[in-house]
Amino acid sequence: MQGGSGRLSLPLGVAPRLLLLAVGLLMKTLTGQAQEDGANEAPHAVKFITKNYIYGNPEHKVNVYVKMHKDSPFLVCMDLTLSQSEVIDPNYLWIGPQGQNLEKQSHVNLTETGKLRLLHFNEDLSGSYTCTLSYRVVQGDLQAEEEKFQAYKFMVYAYREPDYTYQISVHFTTKDCGFVGNAEFFKELQKVLDDLIAHLTCHVIESSYKCHTVKRPKHVLEDELFVTFQVNPFAPGWEAACNQAGTDCEDVTNGHVQEARRLIEEFFRKQSYVLRHEFQNTPVIHYVDHSFQVMRIDSCRPGFGKNDATHNDCTNCCVACDPGTYSPNNNVICLKCTNIRIKSYGAKSC
């Protein structure tokens, strides 16, 4: 078995030229398709709010997840059952995470019917929002009145979409594992793939290959290159695209990397067609049909992480780290901080 990495460098001129020609033909075809099709695959969105109103529950807190820099749905200071009844002389008192009365606060829209909307939400606004509803119950003879109180608690969290990276693996049949052209073929393949997705400010990273001898049913032993790499949306120049999009940069980068994945998948899918129709003799190194495999890898921005146990209503979300935890990098886990007591959401350091 022989191996290699993305830094392989052997003298030029030993690569299988026929296959590189096939690669060039595919690039031309796919680049034209990309310009015609555009990025048709929309970024995945979390769809856990089906209405623009979230009602309270008198028995337990209600979790609400608001995308960064967006407005929240309206939080209703009433449960759904009570909202279907006549409510006399209602009064609403909303208290925010810091214990402040939310009336006349600049970052909220508070209606006269007790509905609260949080504006331009971010991690600093995450926390517990409590509303106390007071109202009167009048008896039929209008002589007896009773004042009632009901409290509703909403836990509101800021979240981001995760940043997507795609892990891809493909196989190529080669002359043998000791063939001197393997390394240069791998090097040229990386360049071709980078060129294919460069207009999307995406690039190939963490690339490597190994050669193995493979026995498949009804086939003789064959030496194959097992190639793996990642498609990443943060190639040089990605910041400029984000500046044009505004605050929700992950929507842009995720859309770009999804389109890059589609182009690369199409590239390999058409390898067999090009080899059958463009060449009389099969090149020394050629793609193994149907060997393309892809897996999405998620990462979170600093200060955000995933926790399926705590946030099972938003399992795909990167949620602001809870007080007492932090995330200094792009991992998906918020770490506990034992040195100091972190009181805020979305901490990036301990």
Side-chain angles (χ1 to χ4, degrees):
M1 179 176 71
Q2 291 186 345
S5 70
R7 298 179 180 176
L8 289 175
S9 178
L10 288 180
L12 296 176
V14 294
R17 300 301 180 185
L18 289 177
L19 183 59
L20 294 182
L21 176 59
V23 166
L25 290 170
L26 279 175
M27 272 201 64
K28 184 180 295 184
T29 302
L30 292 177
T31 302
Q33 287 183 345
Q35 293 172 350
E36 294 175 3
D37 296 343
N40 294 323
E41 185 178 358
H44 173 76
V46 180
K47 298 185 182 300
F48 50 89
I49 296 175
T50 57
K51 296 181 180 179
N52 207 32
Y53 295 93
I54 305 295
Y55 287 87
N57 190 309
E59 298 180 359
H60 57 76
K61 66 180 181 180
V62 176
N63 291 338
V64 180
Y65 298 89
V66 184
K67 194 170 185 177
M68 284 282 290
H69 311 298
K70 301 293 184 181
D71 297 342
S72 75
F74 279 105
L75 310 182
V76 183
C77 186
M78 199 173 289
D79 56 86
L80 187 58
T81 301
L82 186 59
S83 71
Q84 307 302 313
S85 306
E86 182 181 71
V87 181
I88 300 174
D89 294 336
N91 283 292
Y92 313 93
L93 175 63
W94 278 98
I95 301 297
Q98 307 303 322
Q100 74 276 30
N101 189 330
L102 295 180
E103 188 175 3
K104 297 182 180 180
Q105 293 287 328
S106 60
H107 65 282
V108 307
N109 176 9
L110 187 55
T111 72
E112 62 180 8
T113 55
K115 298 180 181 67
L116 173 70
R117 167 170 276 181
L118 304 165
L119 307 177
H120 309 297
F121 201 77
N122 60 52
E123 64 268 43
D124 295 331
L125 299 178
S126 297
S128 174
Y129 290 79
T130 303
C131 180
T132 301
L133 166 66
S134 64
Y135 61 99
R136 296 183 184 277
V137 177
V138 180
Q139 301 298 329
D141 56 7
L142 304 180
Q143 298 301 312
E145 295 185 2
E146 179 185 1
E147 187 173 20
K148 288 195 172 184
F149 298 87
Q150 182 63 61
Y152 301 98
K153 184 177 181 179
F154 300 83
M155 289 299 301
V156 188
Y157 302 96
Y159 84 92
R160 290 182 179 273
E161 295 280 2
D163 289 313
Y164 300 164
T165 295
Y166 287 99
Q167 178 80 38
I168 294 176
S169 64
V170 289
H171 297 178
F172 287 87
T173 296
T174 184
K175 181 179 178 181
D176 61 65
C177 285
F179 180 45
V180 68
N182 292 341
E184 189 173 342
F185 163 77
F186 174 69
K187 181 179 178 181
E188 294 295 332
L189 179 63
Q190 292 177 88
K191 291 179 181 178
V192 167
L193 295 176
D194 269 332
D195 289 344
L196 180 64
I197 61 178
H199 67 287
L200 297 167
T201 62
C202 296
H203 61 163
V204 171
I205 63 171
E206 302 292 333
S207 55
S208 65
Y209 79 94
K210 289 184 179 181
C211 189
H212 297 275
T213 300
V214 179
K215 174 63 176 74
R216 290 189 172 86
K218 300 181 181 180
H219 287 75
V220 299
L221 289 174
E222 292 183 315
D223 287 348
E224 292 185 5
L225 304 179
F226 286 46
V227 177
T228 63
F229 57 91
Q230 293 182 10
V231 182
N232 180 277
F234 301 114
W238 72 271
E239 297 94 339
C242 284
N243 291 337
Q244 296 174 5
T247 52
D248 294 323
C249 183
E250 59 265 33
D251 290 346
V252 175
T253 55
N254 285 345
H256 285 177
V257 78
Q258 285 175 326
E259 175 64 6
R261 180 206 59 78
R262 187 192 71 81
L263 285 174
I264 291 175
E265 183 174 6
E266 185 73 1
F267 170 87
F268 287 112
R269 188 180 67 82
K270 289 197 172 183
Q271 281 277 348
S272 297
Y273 176 86
V274 171
L275 292 175
R276 285 195 303 268
H277 292 80
E278 300 292 339
F279 300 97
Q280 294 180 351
N281 299 316
T282 303
V284 175
I285 300 179
H286 60 273
Y287 174 68
V288 176
D289 205 13
H290 306 300
S291 67
F292 181 91
Q293 294 184 338
V294 61
M295 178 181 66
R296 198 183 86 190
I297 302 172
D298 290 351
S299 60
C300 295
R301 302 289 173 93
F304 292 77
K306 289 187 175 185
N307 189 324
D308 293 352
T310 302
H311 302 295
N312 55 16
D313 293 329
C314 197
T315 55
N316 192 53
C317 305
C318 291
V319 182
C321 294
D322 288 336
T325 66
Y326 72 105
S327 176
N329 48 37
N330 295 101
N331 290 332
V332 295
I333 298 176
C334 294
L335 306 172
K336 289 185 178 181
C337 180
T338 57
N339 297 334
I340 59 174
R341 183 180 178 184
I342 300 176
K343 299 182 180 179
S344 59
Y345 285 83
K348 300 178 179 65
S349 60
C350 176

